[in-house]
């Protein structure tokens, strides 16, 4: 078990470009979560999957954001037409199906939009 | 809806001194409570959690927290801190009504000075 893996660790992109992040959860975890963290703030919930089903999306997740978990294993988060306000740390976490025991987080992907 | 308030954004202390990081929550149902630590440019690591049972919870790195239902608090304590404890600490809450999604506070930056 290598924990939750996120790639890339850092991404610098020009405004208007599309970016995609990948998350590989702990293999036996059914749930996968995406959070966003801006400077000086706690993580904010974006969306989560149970197996391949996306069960909830936050209002923070605008139409430019899309997440997938096609085979119930890894997940991708895509941001289209990036804006400077998208600059943040994007955190992925996974948990057992109940989730109440807490999550295991990855190291995050830091996005900088210039 | 659940929420978390971390009462101090920054806590400076000297090495080997005791420390308490304060956390209050609001929720209409039974809650599960967590403390996570985040080192610079890293993801979040679980320090400890309260699910049920004893209200005094012990975690990693010598930290402990006490669940106080009447005061809706879950303060984190350590009797003697080290330089290596310098990090951001996040309190989080989840409950059944939120389908066990974690809601985080804004964090407390603990700085341990020599």
């Amino acid at each position: 078990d290598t924990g939750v893996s996120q790639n890339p660790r850092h991404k610098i992109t020009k405004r208007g470009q599309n970016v995609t992040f990948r998350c590989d959860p702990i293999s036996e975890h059914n749930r996968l979560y995406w959070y966003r963290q801006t400077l000086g703030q706690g993580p904010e919930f974006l969306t989560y999957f149970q197996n391949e089903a996306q069960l909830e999306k936050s209002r923070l997740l605008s139409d430019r954001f899309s997440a997938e978990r096609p085979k119930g294993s890894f997940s991708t988060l895509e941001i289209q037409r990036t804006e400077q306000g998208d600059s943040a740390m994007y955190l992925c976490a996974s948990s057992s199906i109940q989730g109440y025991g807490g999550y295991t987080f990855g190291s995050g992907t830091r996005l900088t939009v210039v | 809806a659940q929420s978390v308030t971390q009462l101090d954004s920054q806590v400076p202390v000297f090495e080997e001194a005791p420390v308490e990081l304060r956390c209050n929550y609001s929720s209409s149902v039974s809650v599960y409570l967590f403390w996570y630590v985040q080192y610079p440019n890293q993801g979040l690591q679980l320090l400890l959690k309260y699910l049920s049972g004893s209200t005094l919870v012990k975690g990693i790195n010598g930290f402990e927290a006490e669940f106080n239902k009447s005061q809706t608090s879950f303060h984190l304590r350590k009797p003697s801190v080290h330089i290596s404890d310098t990090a951001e600490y996040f309190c989080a809450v989840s409950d059944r009504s939120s389908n066990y999604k974690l809601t985080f506070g804004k964090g407390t930056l603990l700085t341990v000075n020599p």
Side-chain angles (χ1 to χ4, degrees):
Chain A
D1 177 7
T2 56
V4 178
S5 176
Q6 289 190 248
N7 288 290
R9 290 294 309 277
H10 304 276
K11 178 72 176 179
I12 300 174
T13 190
K14 292 183 178 179
R15 189 173 52 188
Q17 297 293 304
N18 299 342
V19 294
T20 300
F21 311 139
R22 176 178 170 125
C23 173
D24 288 89
I26 292 173
S27 56
E28 59 265 30
H29 283 176
N30 302 93
R31 286 197 173 184
L32 185 148
Y33 308 83
W34 286 99
Y35 279 74
R36 180 173 69 186
Q37 184 180 22
T38 53
L39 203 60
Q41 300 295 317
E44 296 173 297
F45 170 77
L46 293 178
T47 187
Y48 87 94
F49 294 82
Q50 186 162 300
N51 300 313
E52 64 273 13
Q54 188 173 19
L55 296 187
E56 188 173 340
K57 294 192 292 187
S58 162
R59 284 173 292 179
L60 291 175
L61 215 63
S62 76
D63 291 344
R64 297 184 297 105
F65 288 71
S66 62
E68 295 182 342
R69 194 183 182 196
K71 296 183 180 179
S73 57
F74 73 91
S75 175
T76 58
L77 177 68
E78 181 183 17
I79 309 175
Q80 296 182 328
R81 305 181 303 281
T82 52
E83 302 172 356
Q84 286 189 322
D86 297 331
S87 295
M89 174 80 91
Y90 290 84
L91 294 164
C92 177
S94 67
S95 76
S96 63
I97 196 164
Q98 288 87 0
Y100 67 87
Y103 307 167
T104 301
F105 280 86
S107 297
T109 294
R110 180 167 295 283
L111 173 67
T112 303
V113 181
V114 298
Chain B
Q2 56 194 15
S3 66
V4 176
T5 302
Q6 291 186 243
L7 296 161
D8 305 296
S9 59
Q10 297 185 54
V11 173
V13 295
F14 288 108
E15 195 173 16
E16 298 183 5
V19 70
E20 178 180 81
L21 306 184
R22 297 180 293 168
C23 172
N24 286 89
Y25 68 91
S26 68
S27 173
S28 58
V29 296
S30 296
V31 296
Y32 306 105
L33 294 156
F34 306 84
W35 276 99
Y36 283 84
V37 61
Q38 186 177 36
Y39 299 101
N41 296 313
Q42 296 292 319
L44 280 74
Q45 180 183 6
L46 182 65
L47 272 180
L48 48 79
K49 59 187 175 186
Y50 171 79
L51 303 181
S52 66
S54 173
T55 57
L56 183 62
V57 179
K58 293 188 183 298
I60 62 171
N61 301 340
F63 284 93
E64 63 181 33
E66 186 158 18
F67 170 55
N68 188 319
K69 187 174 182 179
S70 62
Q71 297 187 3
T72 61
S73 68
F74 191 56
H75 300 333
L76 181 70
R77 302 185 184 102
K78 187 169 182 178
S80 176
V81 294
H82 303 290
I83 299 284
S84 59
D85 292 322
T86 295
E88 189 94 29
Y89 291 80
F90 293 96
C91 181
V93 63
S94 75
D95 61 38
R96 188 174 181 176
S97 69
S98 69
N99 211 4
Y100 305 115
K101 293 194 313 295
L102 284 179
T103 298
F104 287 87
K106 292 188 174 182
T108 297
L109 177 62
L110 174 64
T111 303
V112 181
N113 298 301

